[in-house]
Amino acid sequence: MSRRLLASLTTLLVCGGLAAPVAASAAPGSAARTAACSAPNWTAGQWYPAGSVVRYTDGRYYRAEHDNPGYDPVISTWYWEPYSCEGGDPAPSGFVVSEAQFERMFPNRNSFYTYSGLKAALSAYPGFANTGSDTVKRQEAAAFLANVAHETGGLVHIVEQNTANYPHYCDTSQPYGCPAGHDAYYGRGPIQLSWNFNYKAAGDALGIDLLNNPFLVQNDAAVAWKTALWYWNTQSGPGSMTGHTAMTGGHGFGQTIRSINGSLECDGRNPAQVQSRIDKYRQFTGILGTDPGGNLSC
């Protein structure tokens, strides 16, 4: 497990939608949808119980997934979900990987890593696998999942296997320390989030108190996937760009390896590990029916 020195926070963009006005003769259930579409404006600091629907400042609607004291719906995506006035369902994610393709990629996965958990996490970073051409979208999804497969042994491991490392992931120089315990910030989830400062940064970005509750990453599939997407979309690690930028900017899969574990694998340090990631990426682009592109190595 490498030490990933991550910076924090990103601006999250979440989409929603508005329905057409409901006629007087509308079918049963329309009144509820009309009420949702005329929901009150979101107010910072106001208490919202789970199920509350609000109109955000950009005109889009959000529904509280969990009770919260007025967290910003665009930032605190664990507490809020995009809400469509048409039927009251969350806005669709439009993910380029089908459930059947996901199962082909991870035939031996741990049941914790659900496809539905991944889909639920997509609202946190709607630009992921949804930017550029269809080819680029599929390449980014394949790149992310290939690195995830490498990090977790094919989505088998939820937590870091080397327990001897656990006490090492507490940076006591941080002013907030390690409130969950000095050995509580070991690697968890699809990209094996580790270190107290990374849990703090990811939690702040996602609106989840992961510093005090790091175990959420191994107990809640959507939270686990969100931490991986947080890293992918906002952190460059030992590289010079995020995984998202590497794939959407045409820099190639090799730069995603560098951003995740480049200090230990790239520039000839561990060519076997690099090749393992590349092989998995080629396999996944094949499953998605797209070309892997160039610049695969680092």
Side-chain angles (χ1 to χ4, degrees):
M1 175 62 56
S2 65
R3 172 167 178 161
R4 302 187 183 113
L5 302 177
L6 312 184
S8 65
L9 299 184
T10 187
T11 299
L12 309 181
L13 303 175
V14 188
C15 61
L18 296 176
V22 179
S25 59
S30 295
R33 291 196 292 273
T34 303
C37 289
S38 59
N41 293 330
W42 167 77
T43 302
Q46 178 176 321
W47 180 261
Y48 291 105
S52 301
V53 176
V54 298
R55 183 179 186 274
Y56 193 59
T57 55
D58 61 2
R60 296 172 180 173
Y61 290 83
Y62 296 86
R63 177 169 57 193
E65 293 185 86
H66 305 277
D67 296 350
N68 70 88
Y71 292 137
D72 191 314
V74 173
I75 297 175
S76 301
T77 56
W78 188 72
Y79 291 96
W80 296 93
E81 63 180 350
Y83 187 86
S84 170
C85 291
E86 297 181 1
D89 294 323
S93 64
F95 194 33
V96 295
V97 180
S98 70
E99 187 167 7
Q101 290 169 329
F102 179 78
E103 295 296 345
R104 286 179 61 193
M105 292 173 175
F106 303 104
N108 301 311
R109 65 177 174 80
N110 189 302
S111 60
F112 171 77
Y113 290 114
T114 60
Y115 179 76
S116 60
L118 173 56
K119 289 288 293 292
L122 295 177
S123 63
Y125 296 94
F128 166 73
N130 198 31
T131 301
S133 68
D134 287 345
T135 295
V136 171
K137 292 174 185 176
R138 290 183 172 87
Q139 287 174 341
E140 183 180 10
F144 170 75
L145 292 172
N147 280 301
V148 160
H150 183 86
E151 293 288 307
T152 61
L155 286 185
V156 171
H157 302 302
I158 302 171
V159 302
E160 182 176 356
Q161 297 302 288
N162 186 356
T163 58
N165 284 340
Y166 286 15
H168 300 159
Y169 294 126
C170 176
D171 181 358
T172 56
S173 70
Q174 301 299 328
Y176 42 77
C178 299
H182 280 220
D183 59 351
Y185 301 96
Y186 50 83
R188 295 181 179 89
I191 296 190
Q192 296 288 280
L193 184 73
S194 56
W195 290 95
N196 57 326
F197 46 81
N198 294 334
Y199 278 86
K200 175 72 163 58
D204 286 350
L206 296 169
I208 312 169
D209 186 4
L210 296 180
L211 181 66
N212 287 290
N213 301 287
F215 295 95
L216 281 173
V217 183
Q218 70 187 72
N219 294 327
D220 186 315
V223 171
W225 282 113
K226 282 183 179 182
T227 63
L229 289 173
W230 166 78
Y231 183 87
W232 181 265
N233 286 276
T234 72
Q235 306 302 310
S236 59
S240 60
M241 65 188 74
T242 67
H244 177 68
T245 297
M247 298 309 297
T248 60
H251 303 283
F253 179 71
Q255 290 302 314
T256 73
I257 303 174
R258 190 176 294 280
S259 72
I260 291 175
N261 210 22
S263 59
L264 295 181
E265 295 181 16
C266 294
D267 302 314
R269 294 183 180 91
N270 199 329
Q273 293 294 305
V274 171
Q275 190 60 50
S276 174
R277 294 180 192 265
I278 293 171
D279 291 345
K280 189 60 66 175
Y281 173 63
R282 287 185 180 277
Q283 177 192 350
F284 287 2
T285 52
I287 290 174
L288 297 180
T290 196
D291 185 271
N295 301 319
L296 302 186
S297 185
C298 61

